[in-house]
Amino acid sequence: MSGHDHHGFAHVASPKLLLTTFFVLIALTLLTVLTAGTPLVGPFGAVIAMGIATVKAALVALFFMHMYGDKPFNVIAFLSSFLFASLFIGLTLLDSSHYQNEIDAFPRTPPVVTPK
C-alpha cells in the first residue's frame, strides 16, 4: 500500500464547532431537567421536552453524524427513514382506539395464588 490511501472525501469539522455543539447539547439537557421540575410549564411540559429533544437530535444529526456537509442523497435517505418510522408509530397509535375496551377490561392487579 502506498502513502496515498485516503479516499478523497472526508468530513472535516473544526474542534471549535464540535465543542460548541457539545456545550449547546449540555445546556439543552440542563434546560430539559430544569423544565421538568418546574410547575410553571403545566400541561405543556411534554411538548417543551419533545421540542428540546428534537433540537438536540437535529444538532447530533447535523454535526456529529456529519449530515451538514454530507451528500444530499444521504440526507434524503436519513430523513425518509425517520419519516417512515414516524408514520409506522403514528399509524399504530391511531389504531389503539379500536382495542381500548380490551385494554380497560384487562385486570390491573395480578391474580392471587394460594399455596396448596
Side-chain angles (χ1 to χ4, degrees):
M1 287 202 196
S2 67
H4 303 286
D5 289 330
H6 72 87
H7 302 285
F9 185 77
H11 298 287
V12 178
S14 69
K16 181 181 177 183
L17 175 68
L18 294 176
L19 285 173
T20 302
T21 305
F22 173 73
F23 287 120
V24 168
L25 289 171
I26 295 295
L28 288 173
T29 301
L30 291 174
L31 182 64
T32 303
V33 171
L34 290 173
T35 57
T38 305
L40 295 176
V41 293
F44 299 109
V47 174
I48 292 171
M50 290 303 291
I52 295 171
T54 302
V55 170
K56 287 169 42 178
L59 287 172
V60 169
L62 285 172
F63 298 111
F64 290 138
M65 294 174 61
H66 304 290
M67 290 287 171
Y68 180 71
D70 209 353
K71 296 177 184 175
F73 177 76
N74 292 340
V75 175
I76 291 170
F78 177 77
L79 291 177
S80 63
S81 66
F82 185 75
L83 173 71
F84 282 115
S86 300
L87 282 173
F88 292 150
I89 292 170
L91 290 174
T92 301
L93 291 175
L94 283 175
D95 189 42
S96 66
S97 64
H98 295 288
Y99 53 86
Q100 188 64 42
N101 293 335
E102 295 173 17
I103 293 173
D104 292 337
F106 193 77
R108 299 207 187 270
T109 58
V112 177
V113 178
T114 57
K116 291 183 179 183

